[in-house]
Amino acid sequence: MRTQVVIIGAGPAGLLLGRLLDNQGIDTIILERRSQDYVLGRIRAGVLEQGTVELLDKAGAGERMRAKGLVHDGVEFCFDGDRHRFNFRELIGRTVMVYGQTEVTHDLMNARDASGAKTIYEAEGVSLHGFDSDSPKVRFGKGGVEHEIACDFIAGCDGYHGVSRASVPQDALRTYERVYPFGWLGILVDKPPVSDELIYAHHQRGFALCSMRSPTRSRYYVQVPADEKVEAWSDARFWDELRRRVDSETAEKLIIGPSIEKSIAPLRSFVAEPLRFGRLFLAGDAAHIVPPTGAKGLNLAASDVDCLAEAMTEFYRERSSVGIDHYSARVLSRVWKAERFSWWMTSILHTFPETDTFGRRIQRAEFDYLVGSEAAARSLAENYTGLPF
Ligand code: APR
Ligand code: PHB
């Protein structure tokens, strides 16, 4: 087999890259370890920056999102029961779209199927070869048969635990990491959300988030210790804890019901540098992880692959390697700003085991500053709705 670009991973990064390249007439094969149903069954975040929305439109995969997604003008922060709304539209004229990652994945898969581009699911033992030369190869197994694909480029879009980053020689890679001492326990419930917009809550007992997937489906989270077991959390315990962490008006308005999904996600900040090794490029979670507090994971994956698709297009159209030579530095400068924002939101909204009374006062001062200063609120709005691609 031969193709121009082998994409490893059919998450949002791989599928969107495939779509953007397909639109430019560049041939791709996506290799995905899991089945299509498994990929579609993963529940993940659901806030799209304005730039991501525009990119999905540009990719020709935005129709269902425009019909079903919810445009949000702002978010609310609640600090020890004091609630404040940040109106992004008024502050900076930008908004976000609430539309689940599962839906984005679904739309991109359908667009790819319609275009006839090839995706191989349940590809086993994917391995990368010769990406330090001009003729890289990718090998994999499928149904007991070994295959090899020759290509011009490999795009590692295979997430944090993927094979791509692991294939790079250790001494060629630098990594930066912070692991937080807590996770998010999340539930999905088929009941209307408590509020029209997201509520991010700080409380002495820990962080909480009221989010949604649609007007009839809600997503809620509470901060729990990193080693917590999901079995320890009945629905009743979850609702009790959530009510205690939000303001009393929100607590009273909560419409509860049986959870249809319940899981714990750890929080981590991680960046690998650089993101290019000869003919191999890393994008999305394979390259970096953010804690979910700023809702940046999916959006960063989108801005990475926008840049990568542009660089590869330039390579084929203009026989120029300027774009691919600058890919790593260009992407990393935006990545680090999103890392900073996600870390900052995580720091002010969570309780940390080591935080003393001084630290709590500083967190409160951050909240009061955001509420009282338009400059501070605009900075929040600019970062939350997304820095320029
Ligand atoms: N071979 C083939 N596929 C692989 C391999 C492998 N060795 N390892 C992992 N994969 C696949 C995974 O099964 C997954 O479908 O790569 C895909 C990576 O997808 P994601 O983890 O969704 O990562 P990405 O596409 O970068 O999307 C980033 O997704 O994880 C969230 O919070 C993250 O919202 C962010 C977004
Ligand atoms: C979600 O709805 O899952 C969600 C929303 C906002 C976040 C994180 C997760 O910051």
Side-chain angles (χ1 to χ4, degrees):
M1 269 188 272
R2 194 190 145 78
T3 188
Q4 289 175 295
V5 183
V6 172
I7 299 171
I8 305 178
L15 288 165
L16 182 55
L17 177 65
R19 181 73 188 158
L20 293 168
L21 294 176
D22 197 29
N23 288 345
Q24 298 300 326
I26 298 167
D27 196 41
T28 61
I29 296 177
I30 297 184
L31 294 178
E32 165 60 51
R33 175 169 64 171
R34 305 285 190 171
S35 70
Q36 188 161 7
D37 285 346
Y38 181 95
V39 174
L40 279 173
R42 287 192 296 232
I43 310 282
R44 286 186 171 162
V47 180
L48 307 183
E49 294 174 356
Q50 193 164 315
T52 305
V53 169
E54 287 160 8
L55 182 61
L56 287 166
D57 278 337
K58 181 176 106 179
E63 205 177 317
R64 207 162 137 263
M65 165 191 74
R66 288 287 180 187
K68 292 196 158 188
L70 309 170
V71 175
H72 281 201
D73 286 355
V75 298
E76 294 198 81
F77 277 19
C78 175
F79 204 97
D80 290 340
D82 297 334
R83 203 138 57 84
H84 182 82
R85 174 163 188 247
F86 297 95
N87 186 331
F88 302 149
R89 193 189 284 277
E90 269 176 20
L91 285 163
I92 57 160
R94 292 175 73 79
T95 59
V96 292
M97 173 89 81
V98 170
Y99 189 61
Q101 180 170 322
T102 313
E103 304 305 322
V104 173
T105 307
H106 175 271
D107 296 348
L108 289 167
M109 280 179 176
N110 280 352
R112 188 167 178 87
D113 288 348
S115 77
K118 192 167 187 164
T119 310
I120 299 169
Y121 290 97
E122 297 175 271
E124 296 148 20
V126 171
S127 60
L128 289 63
H129 307 272
F131 52 80
D132 53 351
S133 75
D134 287 348
S135 48
K137 291 178 180 58
V138 179
R139 298 197 186 112
F140 66 98
K142 172 85 187 173
V145 183
E146 290 300 310
H147 299 273
E148 183 178 279
I149 313 177
C151 58
D152 300 326
F153 297 109
I154 304 172
C157 301
D158 48 351
Y160 183 68
H161 299 287
V163 65
S164 301
R165 197 182 65 251
S167 304
V168 173
Q170 280 294 305
D171 57 359
L173 197 71
R174 253 202 100 171
T175 60
Y176 303 83
E177 184 170 49
R178 178 157 300 177
V179 177
Y180 300 90
F182 42 73
W184 282 14
L185 168 64
I187 68 166
L188 196 63
V189 54
D190 270 329
K191 292 287 175 196
V194 67
S195 165
D196 291 341
E197 290 179 344
L198 271 59
I199 303 173
Y200 288 89
H202 170 100
H203 188 273
Q204 202 152 4
R205 296 180 66 86
F207 169 79
L209 171 61
C210 306
S211 180
M212 68 195 72
R213 288 291 174 272
S214 75
T216 56
R217 182 170 281 190
S218 309
R219 180 86 170 143
Y220 295 101
Y221 297 96
V222 294
Q223 173 188 347
V224 293
D227 55 1
E228 191 73 333
K229 297 275 173 286
V230 70
E231 296 74 36
W233 287 82
S234 64
D235 287 359
R237 182 177 174 203
F238 183 92
W239 294 119
D240 278 348
E241 191 59 39
L242 179 63
R243 277 200 203 92
R244 295 167 96 162
R245 296 185 187 189
V246 294
D247 60 291
S248 53
E249 190 195 333
T250 303
E252 274 161 36
K253 279 204 323 215
L254 263 182
I255 308 174
I256 68 169
S259 62
I260 53 174
E261 196 265 352
K262 193 188 285 163
S263 55
I264 297 178
L267 268 72
R268 180 192 300 270
S269 296
F270 171 86
V271 182
E273 290 186 353
L275 300 180
R276 179 207 175 177
F277 309 88
R279 295 278 179 135
L280 167 66
F281 299 84
L282 302 180
D285 277 15
H288 41 71
I289 296 287
V290 284
T293 327
K296 291 288 166 239
L298 171 58
N299 294 294
L300 274 185
S303 56
D304 290 1
V305 300
D306 186 35
C307 185
L308 186 53
E310 212 170 88
M312 288 179 172
T313 304
E314 198 176 301
F315 178 87
Y316 286 112
R317 281 249 180 98
E318 298 165 27
R319 307 252 156 256
S320 160
S321 59
V322 173
I324 59 176
D325 289 343
H326 289 94
Y327 169 75
S328 182
R330 276 183 70 193
V331 161
L332 282 168
S333 100
R334 191 174 190 278
V335 164
W336 274 110
K337 288 175 202 142
E339 289 284 344
R340 183 207 69 85
F341 178 67
S342 305
W343 160 84
W344 171 80
M345 261 188 83
T346 302
S347 313
I348 64 165
L349 290 170
H350 292 75
T351 53
F352 289 74
E354 71 276 14
T355 302
D356 53 9
T357 50
F358 179 83
R360 282 194 51 74
R361 281 288 209 273
I362 293 291
Q363 286 177 315
R364 176 76 208 193
E366 282 272 9
F367 174 74
D368 291 343
Y369 177 51
L370 284 168
V371 170
S373 158
E374 189 174 320
R378 283 167 66 96
S379 167
L380 167 69
E382 178 182 43
N383 280 280
Y384 195 90
T385 60
L387 296 174
F389 269 37

